[in-house]
Structures are given as structure tokens and as C-alpha cells.
Amino acid sequence: MNAKTIRRGSVRRGLRGTLTGAAVITALLAATACQSAGGEDKGAAPTSAAPSAVSPSDGAGSESAEPTGDSGSGSGSGSGTGTGSGPSKDATGDSGETGGGNGTAYQDCKVTDLNTAVELQDPAGETPRHFLLTVTNGTKTPCVLNDAPLIRLRAGNDAPIVETLGEPDPEPVVVEGDGKAYAGLYVFGNDEGGEAQYDQSDRFTATLVAGEGTELGGTLVFDLPDRLDSVSYDDAARVTGWGGTEGLVMRPINQL
């Protein structure tokens, strides 16, 4: 009986130990499963967060990407620099063509800085037709004359402009400080004599053309030479472009 009692106690202890071991194993497996699940959650967090991180950056990135692409720089400061570099390039181009685009390092001549003179090229007793127009730079700084002067032989801005003889030199004329530039003017082509009446002019006006050719730079007045109160003119009148020498501008004019 005692032996049986002992066996039963051993069996109970064995069962208890078995149950206890099973419970421990079950608990370990559960803990392992929780840890695995927790590890998956921790590992999945960035994955699940990625879409939320991408969404705001998509909106912001699309805004920042445009200036960055324009500037050719991958940084925000590069984008700012790029935005500023557009006007800077334009300013640099303009500074290289300071006379409104005349292609030189000098400004266009100002009418207030130029002195004018007119010289008749015809011998005494002949009809005044050929004139040399001279401008003198009254400053010490070089300036630029472009194209041909817009000559009017009658007062008023509504007076017709004299046609240019040939094509003016596309290169601007740089007038050195205290230097001179010239234009040749032919005013009268009618050889009919008699008592015919012709238009008369007592002075010439010359409007300067700005470097870009789209604006005007003021008007000069050329008084007639001494002993000439007025000259006849007609639609045969012609003027040359500006030149750096007298011979250059008068040669074509003297052929008229």
C-alpha cells in the first residue's frame, strides 16, 4: 500500500512536472511569437511610414525641383543663384553694350556733349549742294555714333527725313574725347534754271540713332555756313552714314 502510494505520488509529480514543462514551453513559444511579431512591426514601421514620407515630399519636391532644374544646381542655394543669374547675364550683356546695344564699351554720344559745324563743299558761284557735317566730342570720354543721322531740311518733327545714300557701315563710329566724326549731305539735285521756286532751308537738323536702332538719342542743329542765309533742297537730297574721316563721307556725296 505504501508502495502504491509512493507510485501515485511519483505519477502525480511526473504529471505535474510534465504539465509545468509544457506550460513553460507554451509560454516560451508565446513569448517568441510576440517577439517575432514585435520585430516584424518594428521592421515594418519604416515600410509603412515610407508612403507618408513620400507623399509630402512629392508635393514639396515638385515645387523645389523646378527651380533646381532651371538653375542647373541640385541645392536650394543653387536654385536661388540660378534665379539671380538670369538677370545677371542680361545685365552683363547690357554692360558690354552700354550705348543701348552699340557693341562697344562706350556709351552713345549725347547731343549735349557734341558741337556742330557745317562746311560748304561747292566752289563759290555754284549752287550750294554738297555739305560736310562735323560733330566734335566736347568731353574727354569716347562716345559712339550709330548708323546715319536722321536729317531734316525743314523745321519740325513732321518734316521728311532725308534718304540715306547707300548702306551705312554697320560698325558704330567711336568718337574719341575731343575727336570728330563726319557725315556728307547733298541737298539739291534740280538743274532747272529760270524763275522756279524751290523749298528753302536755313538750317539742318540731325537726330541721333541709339545703338539698338529702336530709339532716338536727341537732335542736333547745324547752322548754315557764313554767307549762306538759306539753301534750296528737293527730294534728291541724300546723307551718308557717320564716318571717321572727311574723305570717307564726302567721296560718295561728291559723285552726285
Side-chain angles (χ1 to χ4, degrees):
M1 186 171 182
N2 289 334
K4 291 180 180 177
T5 302
I6 292 172
R7 269 198 302 275
R8 286 197 188 101
S10 299
V11 170
R12 288 195 184 103
R13 282 196 299 273
L15 289 172
R16 189 180 299 114
T18 301
L19 292 173
T20 301
V24 170
I25 292 170
T26 302
L28 289 173
L29 291 174
T32 302
C34 289
Q35 290 177 355
S36 299
E40 291 174 359
D41 290 343
K42 291 179 181 179
T47 304
S48 61
S52 62
V54 170
S55 295
S57 67
D58 284 345
S62 61
E63 293 176 1
S64 62
E66 291 179 1
T68 302
D70 291 342
S71 66
S73 171
S75 65
S77 61
S79 174
T81 304
T83 303
S85 65
S88 173
K89 289 180 181 179
D90 292 340
T92 301
D94 288 341
S95 66
E97 300 177 347
T98 51
N102 63 37
T104 77
Y106 306 111
Q107 294 183 351
D108 285 350
C109 294
K110 299 177 181 178
V111 294
T112 53
D113 294 334
L114 298 176
N115 300 313
T116 62
V118 180
E119 183 180 342
L120 176 62
Q121 300 293 292
D122 299 300
E126 294 190 6
T127 302
R129 303 171 187 270
H130 306 82
F131 294 89
L132 175 67
L133 308 183
T134 303
V135 293
T136 303
N137 184 359
T139 73
K140 301 297 183 182
T141 304
C143 66
V144 171
L145 293 172
N146 307 284
D147 201 56
L150 303 183
I151 299 291
R152 290 182 172 89
L153 303 177
R154 188 176 72 230
N157 290 334
D158 59 339
I161 296 172
V162 173
E163 290 187 29
T164 303
L165 179 62
E167 291 293 331
D169 191 336
E171 294 298 323
V173 175
V174 177
V175 188
E176 299 294 338
D178 296 325
K180 300 179 184 295
Y182 309 92
L185 176 63
Y186 179 77
V187 297
F188 188 67
N190 197 327
D191 289 326
E192 294 181 7
E195 307 238 342
Q197 296 295 316
Y198 303 102
D199 292 324
Q200 299 291 309
S201 176
D202 62 356
R203 69 187 59 191
F204 311 138
T205 62
T207 302
L208 303 183
V209 177
E212 293 178 344
T214 56
E215 297 180 358
L216 304 180
T219 299
L220 298 167
V221 176
F222 291 83
D223 292 325
L224 295 180
D226 293 341
R227 299 184 302 278
L228 277 180
D229 295 328
S230 65
V231 295
S232 299
Y233 70 89
D234 58 18
D235 57 7
R238 295 290 185 272
V239 65
T240 68
W242 293 110
T245 66
E246 298 179 20
L248 183 65
V249 299
M250 290 308 303
R251 191 174 299 114
I253 287 294
N254 287 333
Q255 294 175 1
L256 297 177

